[in-house]
């Protein structure tokens, strides 16, 4: 099964259809059952990029081979100047090409990655130190490229001014921060170093980078967000002024889990008359889509837009159930 990665993506269907058409005229020369040829397809029919003698898939997981094509056009016209292409197995594509691209991108930013099992820095340490020492790398050095996504949010002066006007104070050390899907800890670093929250609760079943886990005020709740221990732990450090999530989970599965967990937290807090949030709440979520084709993205964005208002409304209701201190008294929100 073949996957085509074409840049620019607008040419993907055209190139796939052309390949299917070319294969249609050549299948007569191939023996029956040749690898990659779909004998169940009418050899004389090519009705689109996904329909023809070549078995194609849009899934990066289900493909066996990957063809990468980069079309370089002149900016001043639509004429094609150069075409670069290459073919690899699925395994080679992810382990070789993606790794090289990540390594190239890593050189452009300050970054020190950590081991996903131990949490220690990958960079070789001085032989005179313990192999598990991470003292040579400053604690504020990002542990992931994801750090820069959230860091950019809090570099947005317009956003900060808007939030400050609503809260009547600057975004800063107010309440706690909640980082859902925190591992390895890039966004937790932003909440600690950039926003300077005194307490940051990092939730993830995975390992937190050692440099992040050792930061004062960082609490790692290791487990799924809906488990009792994690729900109890989140309740312990409430209220929260900032909630962020960059979890590598399908958006349609992520939202119900977040709401289920926070509703459980709120139920615990209501018994002790504590608030879940400090309002107005700063909420930053990223939504991951299962496939990256234009058609798939549009389909999933439509599904997400249909359910997002409901989940945000349920989240807002949790805020309405809260009470907060204001000028020495309590105000129902």
């Amino acid at each position: 099964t073949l996957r085509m990665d074409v840049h620019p993506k607008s040419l993907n269907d055209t190139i796939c259809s052309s390949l299917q058409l070319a294969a249609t005229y050549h299948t007569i020369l191939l023996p029956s059952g040749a690898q990659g040829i779909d004998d169940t397809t009418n050899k004389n029919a090519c009705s689109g990029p996904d329909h023809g003698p070549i078995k194609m898939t849009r899934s990066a997981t289900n493909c066996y081979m990957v063809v990468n094509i980069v079309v370089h056009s002149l900016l001043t016209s639509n004429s094609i100047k150069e075409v670069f292409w290459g073919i690899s197995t699925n395994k080679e594509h992810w382990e070789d090409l993606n790794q090289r691209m990540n390594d190239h991108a890593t050189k452009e930013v300050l970054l020190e990655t950590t081991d996903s099992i131990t949490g220690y820095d990958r960079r070789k340490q001085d032989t005179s130190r313990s192999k598990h020492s991470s003292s040579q790398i400053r604690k504020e050095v990002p542990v992931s490229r994801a750090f820069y996504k959230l860091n950019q949010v809090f570099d947005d002066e317009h956003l900060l001014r808007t939030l400050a006007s609503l809260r009547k104070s600057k975004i800063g050390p107010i309440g706690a921060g909640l980082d859902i899907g925190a591992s390895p800890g890039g966004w937790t670093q932003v909440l600690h170093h950039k926003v300077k929250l005194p307490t940051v609760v990092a939730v993830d079943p995975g390992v937190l980078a050692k440099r992040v886990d050792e930061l004062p005020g960082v609490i790692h709740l290791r487990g799924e967000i809906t488990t009792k221990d994690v729900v109890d732990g989140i309740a312990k450090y409430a209220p929260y002024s900032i909630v962020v999530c960059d979890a590598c989970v399908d958006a349609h599965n992520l939202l119900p889990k977040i709401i289920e967990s926070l509703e459980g937290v709120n139920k615990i807090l209501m018994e002790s008359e504590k608030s879940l949030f400090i309002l107005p709440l700063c909420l930053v979520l990223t939504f991951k889509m299962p496939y990256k084709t234009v058609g798939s993205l549009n389909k999933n964005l439509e599904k997400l837009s249909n359910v997002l208002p409901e989940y945000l409304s349920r989240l807002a209701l949790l805020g309405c159930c809260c009470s907060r201190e204001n000028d020495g008294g309590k105000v129902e929100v």
Side-chain angles (χ1 to χ4, degrees):
T1 305
L2 185 70
R3 170 184 164 91
M4 301 284 290
D5 277 351
V6 180
H7 181 80
K9 287 188 178 293
S10 58
L11 295 176
N12 190 82
D13 284 358
T14 300
I15 291 178
C16 287
S17 295
S18 299
L19 188 62
Q20 291 284 23
L21 189 61
T24 298
Y25 289 115
H26 285 79
T27 48
I28 193 171
L29 303 176
L30 297 173
S32 178
Q35 185 175 10
I37 301 300
D38 187 355
D39 288 335
T40 64
T41 303
N42 184 343
K43 290 183 173 58
N44 296 317
C46 176
S47 57
D50 299 321
H51 303 284
I54 299 177
K55 297 177 183 177
M56 287 196 177
T57 179
R58 309 260 177 161
S59 169
T61 305
N62 297 329
C63 67
Y64 177 71
M65 303 294 291
V66 180
V67 174
N68 292 278
I69 299 177
V70 178
V71 179
H72 180 205
S73 302
L74 293 173
L75 294 176
T76 55
S77 68
N78 292 326
S79 61
I80 295 175
K81 183 180 180 182
E82 295 174 304
V83 176
F84 303 91
W85 70 279
I87 186 168
S88 62
T89 64
N90 183 311
K91 187 172 185 292
E92 290 170 338
H93 175 74
W94 289 107
E95 292 186 359
D96 184 16
L97 177 62
N98 275 3
Q99 187 59 52
R100 277 189 286 162
M101 290 177 68
N102 285 337
D103 287 346
H104 177 74
T106 298
K107 295 173 185 176
E108 303 296 319
V109 296
L110 179 62
L111 180 70
E112 289 288 354
T113 59
T114 58
D115 188 278
S116 61
I117 297 175
T118 65
Y120 291 103
D121 292 295
R122 289 183 182 275
R123 184 153 61 97
K124 291 182 179 180
Q125 305 299 311
D126 191 319
T127 55
S128 64
R129 298 178 180 274
S130 164
K131 65 178 181 179
H132 293 320
S133 171
S134 60
S135 58
Q136 289 183 344
I137 299 174
R138 301 192 315 275
K139 291 187 180 295
E140 64 270 20
V141 174
V143 296
S144 67
R145 281 180 293 158
F147 168 94
Y148 290 97
K149 286 190 289 186
L150 187 63
N151 193 66
Q152 185 177 11
V153 170
F154 291 105
D155 273 337
D156 188 330
E157 291 297 330
H158 175 71
L159 172 66
L160 296 181
R161 284 196 301 270
T162 301
L163 288 172
S165 66
L166 291 170
R167 191 175 284 169
K168 296 182 173 56
S169 64
K170 291 183 178 180
I171 292 293
I174 305 172
L178 177 61
D179 183 4
I180 301 169
S183 179
W187 281 29
T188 299
Q189 285 180 299
V190 175
L191 297 182
H192 178 86
H193 294 298
K194 181 85 172 180
V195 187
K196 301 190 183 304
L197 290 172
T199 304
V200 181
V201 177
V203 178
D204 200 296
V207 172
L208 211 60
K210 200 69 176 175
R211 281 189 285 117
V212 180
D213 203 18
E214 292 174 347
L215 291 172
V218 169
I219 294 93
H220 181 200
L221 301 179
R222 191 169 182 181
E224 296 289 345
I225 191 171
T226 54
T227 60
K228 184 180 184 303
D229 287 347
V230 170
V231 169
D232 289 343
I234 295 174
K236 180 179 178 181
Y237 297 98
Y240 297 92
S241 60
I242 300 177
V243 177
V244 300
C245 177
D246 191 37
C248 193
V249 179
D250 188 316
H252 306 297
N253 296 323
L254 176 65
L255 283 169
K257 288 185 176 182
I258 292 176
I259 298 301
E260 178 187 346
S261 175
L262 294 182
E263 286 178 341
V265 172
N266 194 57
K267 187 178 294 185
I268 295 172
L269 294 174
M270 288 182 71
E271 295 176 358
S272 59
E273 297 187 349
K274 285 183 62 179
S275 301
L276 174 56
F277 301 135
I278 292 177
L279 301 176
L281 173 71
C282 178
L283 177 69
V284 182
L285 305 176
T286 61
F287 298 119
K288 309 298 170 66
M289 302 301 178
Y291 305 119
K292 301 300 187 290
T293 62
V294 174
S296 176
L297 284 173
N298 288 335
K299 178 182 176 181
N300 281 285
L301 282 172
E302 184 178 358
K303 286 173 60 179
L304 185 60
S305 64
N306 290 333
V307 299
L308 189 57
E310 176 195 346
Y311 287 118
L312 290 178
S313 296
R314 288 170 65 180
L315 190 64
L317 285 174
L318 297 181
C320 291
C321 295
C322 297
S323 61
R324 60 171 176 152
E325 293 188 3
N326 184 15
D327 296 328
K330 286 206 168 184
V331 178
E332 294 299 323
V333 180

